[in-house]
Amino acid sequence: MRYNFDKIVDRKGTDCLKYDFAVERGKPEGVLPLWVADMDFQTAPAVIEQIEKTAAHGIFGYTDTKDDYYRAVAGWYEKHFGWRPEKEWLVKTPGIVFALAAAVRAYTKEGDGVLLQQPVYYPFSEVIRDNDRRIVNSPLKLKGGRYEIDFDDLEEKIAGEHIKLFLMCSPHNPTGRVWEEWELRKIGELCLKYHVTVVSDEIHCDFVYPGHEHHVFASLDERYAGISLICTSPSKTFNTAGLQVSNIWIPNPDLREAFERAVRQTGYSQLNVMGLAACRAAYEEGGEWYLQVKDYLKGNLDFTRAFLTRELPEIHLIEPEGTYLLWLDFRDLNMTEEEREDLILNRAGLWLDSGAIFGEDGEGFERINIACSRKVLEEALVRLRDALGSLESGRGVKSKRTRAEKEK
Ligand SMILES: Cc1ncc(COP(=O)(O)O)c(C=O)c1O
């Protein structure tokens, strides 16, 4: 069966963050949103059917999972990544950010430094700050259009700041890096050397573009498994973020016990019945839908790259290796944050995520979510082009595009 991702499903009026909260969040009414990381596509039919079946039963009491749930999740990881986690490693949480916060409380104390690599998904910083720990940033370095880890800096920060916990984003949001095996091994050895626990947030692992491969950190070496928490979730892959289920795999019993204690301290126990049903159905029956959505996203990436090259050469795409979030470099436009905000929000009528929220290393960049129908994506890019064009002609500036065209 072919799934139709070109179909535009109206999300307005569903109280979704992406479309229904512009005004509440200080944006003009009616902006076209390509910010928060969920998709505009309906999830796999098997997931919808399972939720309908669960709903039809009509009793929504306390629920937990059995072997079939474990087999569905573990089976997915075995099939796609050659890694079979064990049943007792599993701790379920209502989201990965919840798990990040629990890990911060489980493995560090107030005032401790927690390591991350900015620019990075902003809740990484929030869970550190909100728990009165210190952010220790080892910034990624942009070299030749690709972000790299500065391993000397990483080691210096780990040693100098007595780091006990590293929040690692793999694949990395927003830079789109999919860490290579040698990079993960180097991280693993450093973290072993300095006794650092690694929280590997692998929520984006299913969206990796051809030519790249995601490695589950714990799959590379038993010793890495012994110091890590592997954070997984069907929510990016199947667009089920609102169902709030994530699966955290912790092979080391001591780390697991400390984490479970931190979860218990919040008072949280069983997960949401709908979320659990959806998760199992997604991993058991959503495989074909997933392959097709991945293909569509690749098409959206190719479309965006071609559009930018042709129509907006001043804005540079940081070529993603994974994720449906593109990191766009606006620095050649020489705009202040306010000017860029005005261009995007007021002139183009777009709601993107401004790079600065990912840390100061993100200044001058914007993150755009391409998990929407191609028509919507095209509309967004056209709006951006036209807004920039009118701004430049208003200022009497000849755009680089025009110059580039002349040179042809
Ligand atoms: C790297 C990363 N981790 C976690 C999340 C959110 O996870 P959850 O909704 O399960 O808390 C996102 C969402 O964009 C993300 O990009």
Side-chain angles (χ1 to χ4, degrees):
M1 159 166 190
R2 286 308 302 169
Y3 300 105
N4 180 9
F5 300 105
D6 282 329
K7 180 175 131 191
I8 297 177
V9 180
D10 189 2
R11 297 184 66 185
K12 292 190 203 92
T14 64
D15 286 352
C16 66
L17 276 190
K18 194 174 177 187
Y19 284 88
D20 286 334
F21 284 86
V23 174
E24 286 84 345
R25 291 184 171 230
K27 316 289 178 198
E29 180 90 59
V31 280
L32 188 59
L34 292 90
W35 64 288
V36 68
D38 62 25
M39 306 199 272
D40 282 353
F41 312 127
Q42 285 177 320
T43 187
V47 176
I48 299 170
E49 281 158 26
Q50 184 57 54
I51 288 178
E52 282 171 353
K53 212 165 127 196
T54 307
H57 186 252
I59 299 175
F60 308 108
Y62 297 114
T63 304
D64 209 341
T65 56
K66 295 214 173 197
D67 262 4
D68 51 358
Y69 177 93
Y70 158 72
R71 276 199 304 273
V73 187
W76 182 271
Y77 280 84
E78 185 165 35
K79 177 169 179 197
H80 293 277
F81 305 101
W83 177 66
R84 184 148 189 112
E86 291 178 17
K87 192 177 166 194
E88 59 272 22
W89 300 352
L90 176 60
V91 185
K92 301 184 292 292
T93 62
I96 287 191
V97 175
F98 181 97
L100 298 176
V104 165
R105 287 193 302 274
Y107 308 123
T108 62
K109 48 184 196 326
E110 282 190 16
D112 281 354
V114 179
L115 182 68
L116 44 63
Q117 296 170 302
Q118 288 178 338
V120 74
Y121 178 57
Y122 41 90
F124 276 44
S125 314
E126 289 167 357
V127 297
I128 298 172
R129 233 183 270 119
D130 291 344
N131 283 293
D132 301 314
R133 274 64 165 174
R134 284 180 302 112
I135 293 167
V136 176
N137 176 28
S138 179
L140 297 173
K141 295 274 179 291
L142 187 55
K143 285 190 189 151
R146 185 173 190 247
Y147 280 88
E148 291 180 6
I149 298 170
D150 177 344
F151 282 100
D152 291 335
D153 181 72
L154 196 72
E155 181 160 12
E156 226 173 273
K157 297 273 165 62
I158 290 175
E161 300 276 355
H162 309 290
I163 293 297
K164 300 259 176 346
L165 182 65
F166 174 27
L167 302 184
M168 177 167 81
C169 198
S170 172
H172 191 270
N173 166 15
T175 66
R177 274 303 315 276
V178 174
W179 305 119
E180 290 184 31
E181 186 175 336
W182 71 267
E183 293 172 301
L184 291 171
R185 287 191 182 280
K186 230 166 150 164
I187 288 173
E189 294 307 318
L190 272 179
C191 290
L192 280 165
K193 180 173 168 189
Y194 293 98
H195 309 288
V196 177
T197 299
V198 181
V199 174
S200 186
D201 177 348
E202 306 193 7
I203 196 169
H204 293 282
C205 66
D206 291 315
F207 293 131
V208 165
Y209 295 110
H212 302 280
E213 190 184 350
H214 174 75
H215 303 280
V216 175
F217 182 65
S219 74
L220 294 177
D221 192 311
E222 294 235 327
R223 295 171 309 143
Y224 305 164
I227 58 165
S228 61
L229 289 73
I230 307 301
C231 301
T232 72
S233 166
S235 65
K236 293 288 165 242
T237 313
F238 290 97
N239 203 25
T240 55
L243 291 169
Q244 300 206 302
V245 164
S246 58
N247 299 298
I248 315 300
W249 304 93
I250 315 175
N252 179 324
D254 295 333
L255 291 180
R256 191 164 63 243
E257 172 48 32
F259 182 81
E260 282 174 328
R261 183 157 188 275
V263 173
R264 279 197 305 277
Q265 283 171 336
T266 68
Y268 201 85
S269 50
Q270 287 83 15
L271 271 77
N272 180 296
V273 57
M274 289 296 183
L276 294 173
C279 175
R280 183 167 56 75
Y283 285 136
E284 274 177 358
E285 299 173 72
E288 177 54 31
W289 181 91
Y290 154 67
L291 290 178
Q292 291 186 32
V293 81
K294 188 169 153 186
D295 203 44
Y296 192 83
L297 292 172
K298 165 79 169 59
N300 275 0
L301 168 62
D302 293 341
F303 177 83
T304 308
R305 186 192 307 104
F307 189 100
L308 291 174
T309 309
R310 198 177 61 241
E311 315 263 353
L312 281 166
E314 312 89 327
I315 299 173
H316 307 291
L317 170 69
I318 302 298
E319 185 65 34
E321 300 169 353
T323 85
Y324 55 69
L325 307 162
L326 305 189
W327 191 234
L328 302 181
D329 184 352
F330 279 65
R331 290 174 304 170
D332 269 1
L333 290 171
N334 286 321
M335 287 178 160
T336 63
E337 286 289 308
E338 292 70 36
E339 285 169 338
R340 206 174 62 254
E341 173 95 351
D342 179 58
L343 169 77
I344 291 168
L345 208 54
N346 301 323
R347 292 175 187 267
L350 293 177
W351 185 0
L352 310 182
D353 265 342
S354 162
I357 63 177
F358 299 86
E360 65 182 35
D361 307 281
E363 276 168 24
F365 292 78
E366 295 283 331
R367 195 190 74 171
I368 179 169
N369 174 350
I370 58 166
C372 55
S373 81
R374 202 149 305 153
K375 270 229 143 5
V376 171
L377 181 60
E378 183 174 14
E379 158 93 27
L381 293 168
V382 165
R383 283 189 188 199
L384 191 56
R385 179 199 63 195
D386 292 350
L388 193 59
S390 72
L391 184 68
E392 286 172 341
S393 58
R395 276 171 168 177
V397 177
K398 270 213 169 58
S399 80
K400 288 179 190 161
R401 174 166 24 100
T402 318
R403 283 205 299 273
E405 277 167 3
K406 274 189 190 155
E407 280 163 16
K408 270 189 205 152

